[in-house]
Amino acid sequence: MSGQLLPSSLSLNNYLEVFQKVPLLTYLLNSFVTSAIVMIGQLLVSSLAAFAFVFMKFKGRDFVFFLFISTMMIPWEATMVPNFMTIQSLGWTNSYLGLTIPFFALAFGTFLLRQHFKTIPQELYEASQVAGISRLRFFWNVILPVSRSSLITLGIYSFLTNWNMYLWPLLVTNTESARTVQIGLKQLQTQEIASDWGIVMAGVVIVILPTLLLLFAGQKKLQKGLTQGAIK
Amino acid sequence: MNDARDLQPVPSQKSLPKRNLFAFLEGWLYLLPSIILFGVFVFYPMFRTIYLSFFLADQMGPFEFVGLENYQYILSSDSFQSSVKATILFVLYTVPAGILLALFLALLTNEKIKGIGIFRTLFSSTMGMSVAASSVIWMFMYNPSIGVFSRIAEWLGFPAIQWLQDPDYALLAVSLSTVWMNAGFAYLIILGGLQNIDTHLYENAKVAGVSYLYQLRRITLPMLSPTLFFIVTVSFINAFQTFGQIDILTKGGPVESTNVIVYSIYKDAFINNDVGSASAQAVILFFCVLLLTALQFKLGERKVHYQ
Amino acid sequence: MTHVSLTGLKKSYDGKKNVIEQVDLQLQQGEFFVLVGPSGCGKSTILRMIAGLEPITDGELFVNGKRMNDAPPNKRDLSMVFQNYALYPHLNVEQNITFGLHTKKISREEQRRRCQEAADMLGLADYLKRKPRELSGGQRQRVALARAIVTQAPLCLMDEPLSNLDAKLRTRMRSEIRQIQRKLGITMIYVTHDQTEAMTMADRMMILHEGQAMQIGKPLDIYNHPANTFVASFIGSPAMNVMEADVSPSGIVLSPHCTVPNPMKGNVKAASKNVQVGIRPEHILFSAPEQADAVVEVVNTEVLGTETLITFILDNAKEQWIARWNGQWQFSVGDRIPIRFDSDAIHLFSKENGRILWAANDGQPNQTAREVLR
């Protein structure tokens, strides 16, 4: 790409070349797998906790709720050094484990789902008690299907966030086989900057395409869901 | 009707505490995954960070207790002072501008007009673009020889500016790109808040015949205040935690003019291998965020109108 | 045969203040029993304690002679219909109706048979594959009923099941529920705030007020012999007129210009005593001027078609009375009309605690009333 405002010719060469310069396919796969695992993990862990907060009464519940709130006040960056050490000592660097497990519990996700669970009439729960359905079955067969739209919202949000994560993968991956696509982009940019912006931009397009599509598909849901979760 | 219908054996009086105990255990069981994960990856590292901040330490762990020396050292170091300055300036540049921009775009696209969906999608699209990708795009735009900014400047007859290499402009340049990156999320949230406002309120205002500005001041903004409160809080916290664009665009330079606190922590911990100093900075960051949240909740409680 | 029995039932949330005070009740097999009272009176709480959804603070619950205080809801062998129906939005009608039957070890085939039977009974057969949101309010209500029926539980609890329906449908469902209950021979405990529902459906009913049982009995007995002013004004629409008055041996002084003869013929000794007089609207009659107890000023008339409600005042403008007359009557506001009180239908209540002192329509004054008045 020279200095012209409009490119002189269109070609897909840059897209082919970017796959040769860096192992972009591996990075894409890594990003996809970790994002999917984190998404499922967050949905499961958050919905279990939200269910307990809404449909159960037991000693210590309010205290735990307070603990959950307090995690939102702790900036993740303030804890990254010991977290990195933990992952290192567990031998989880350069693995999906290290990229995913630390993010399974999500206070925001728990609140968002709690907000939705609270709109489910308590009578549904009581009716299932009269019918003799166990709590776990009620959670699985009633609560999760009924909350499908909130779960999708949270799922999209969590996939987006994890696909776009930068600092943590930068810390815990240093091999080509483990890197995610965002780090790949940085690598591409540092190594290609002098030579060819066209290739770098091709990389950018490939990286943002999946999330942009996901965002467009789920925009309405996100807009509604995030506002609900955010405002009591 | 069968009178002698056989019922299940009736639990005795003693079973009530047993049921409570069971409910207690079951409740905690559902919370257990979250509690363990929060314990290992949030609370433990938080206390560990505080602990490490009192030691000389590297990535292997602490090796010498030094009390408050880390704090004394960083508070007196020029590097940390410039980092604090950069962080505060960065927050001031990005948060108000970002929210105002998002609010403006949201008000603009809240009308029910054909084809408005395209604009809504467009304005929220930066939410789907990663910090890394956005930074690369902005890096290209800031490029002194081929970037769009230089070309416009050139066309207008101004001298080309080394946006990212000039200590006077680098932070501004990074802030501008950050406003753009964060606008999508803020826009989406504010638009959601606007759409939650009961349309009857506006219909009534129409019947009463008040002006648009009056509606904005007396209906929209008060009804939107919980949303705005939320987005202000989140934006502040996000701004304090900015890392990616700094790493890609400037690496904290030039002359540490964009060395915001998280980047400074990262550099100390993972490049200079001075974990003690990094931990002390992390603790300071933690208290700043805590103070900010507490302050905002204190203010928010009074000012914000919840439905 | 006694099916459900409550003895000394109490409920308290904070351990200090009882929201339910000492409820005693015996329900017969196959009885339709209604708990009725204004909102917040504790009727739903009692129902939920019977269901096992709320713990019982004190007192005992027996079902078929077995103590059930601590049994979980599904071990109490009952079904329940909720005010908002509690239908599962993601399940279709059939799945909703058979929800939970598997826990009772009922075969798929039997489940389907019962579902079909209940659906036929309630006219839901064509809707079995629909989701709740595709049904009208009345159909949803029927699905909730069907779900209770298929369990074949001998006891059914209903918590304001008709309050979300419009007036017309409510009237129809009243009789439908009653017919189903009779046909299946189940015992029903039915909670409502609507006194019309209670009057029209109940075999017996309990009127509750602030957690206390005000009166238990058959609807007509309660209507004719209210135990206190609360019951008197709660049951019956429009409500019984209850006004302060002075009683002397010769008469009841309703206002300076209106004294009706003392109906307590035997009680000549009764001294002047401040009481409350209660008389139902239908017992205030239009009168020939020469026989009138009073000439009153009309404040408002409501012509309902077969009957007319006349709101009037005696002397005190703040005390509005209501009379109900058959037929269509046209009065203008301010008209003065002669009326007469049916002295065989007058109730006297204590001014202090609202309890009944004396009622004319049962022929003889009751024991306690005589004592109080003496």
Side-chain angles (χ1 to χ4, degrees), chain A residues 120-192:
Chain A
I120 297 173
Q122 200 76 23
E123 282 89 345
L124 285 191
Y125 181 49
E126 290 172 349
S128 79
Q129 270 183 297
V130 173
I133 305 284
S134 76
R135 246 191 265 260
L136 193 64
R137 253 193 118 100
F138 175 70
F139 171 69
W140 194 257
N141 289 346
V142 177
I143 292 298
L144 291 189
V146 166
S147 317
R148 209 178 50 205
S149 94
S150 285
L151 292 171
I152 292 175
T153 307
L154 181 59
I156 294 174
Y157 175 80
S158 104
F159 193 94
L160 276 180
T161 324
N162 285 282
W163 180 274
N164 293 341
M165 196 176 287
Y166 181 78
L167 177 52
W168 184 247
L170 186 69
L171 297 182
V172 298
T173 61
N174 52 27
T175 61
E176 292 214 325
S177 62
R179 258 182 210 147
T180 64
V181 84
Q182 309 298 337
I183 313 304
L185 209 55
K186 183 195 180 183
Q187 182 198 3
L188 188 71
Q189 178 254 335
T190 3
Q191 91 193 23
E192 294 297 318

Side-chain angles (χ1 to χ4, degrees), chain B residues 1-17 19-20, chain C residues 1 29 52 63-64 66-68 70-72 75 77 151-152 154 184-186:
Chain B
M1 192 55 39
N2 186 358
D3 292 353
R5 210 182 150 99
D6 232 13
L7 294 179
Q8 301 291 324
V10 183
S12 70
Q13 192 121 34
K14 272 182 255 154
S15 71
L16 205 61
R19 256 171 88 195
N20 282 342
Chain C
M1 147 120 208
Q29 198 81 249
V63 178
N64 286 336
K66 285 180 186 154
R67 189 173 182 279
M68 278 292 172
D70 303 320
K75 297 281 191 278
D77 211 8
T151 61
Q152 298 190 350
L184 301 175
I186 53 179

Side-chain angles (χ1 to χ4, degrees), chain A residues 44-53 56 58 68 134-140, chain B residues 23-35:
Chain A
L44 213 62
V45 172
S46 305
S47 60
L48 278 173
F51 178 68
F53 283 135
M56 292 185 197
F58 53 91
F68 273 52
S134 76
R135 246 191 265 260
L136 193 64
R137 253 193 118 100
F138 175 70
F139 171 69
W140 194 257
Chain B
F24 174 78
L25 287 178
E26 202 187 357
W28 279 84
L29 207 63
Y30 284 84
L31 295 174
L32 204 59
S34 295
I35 293 174

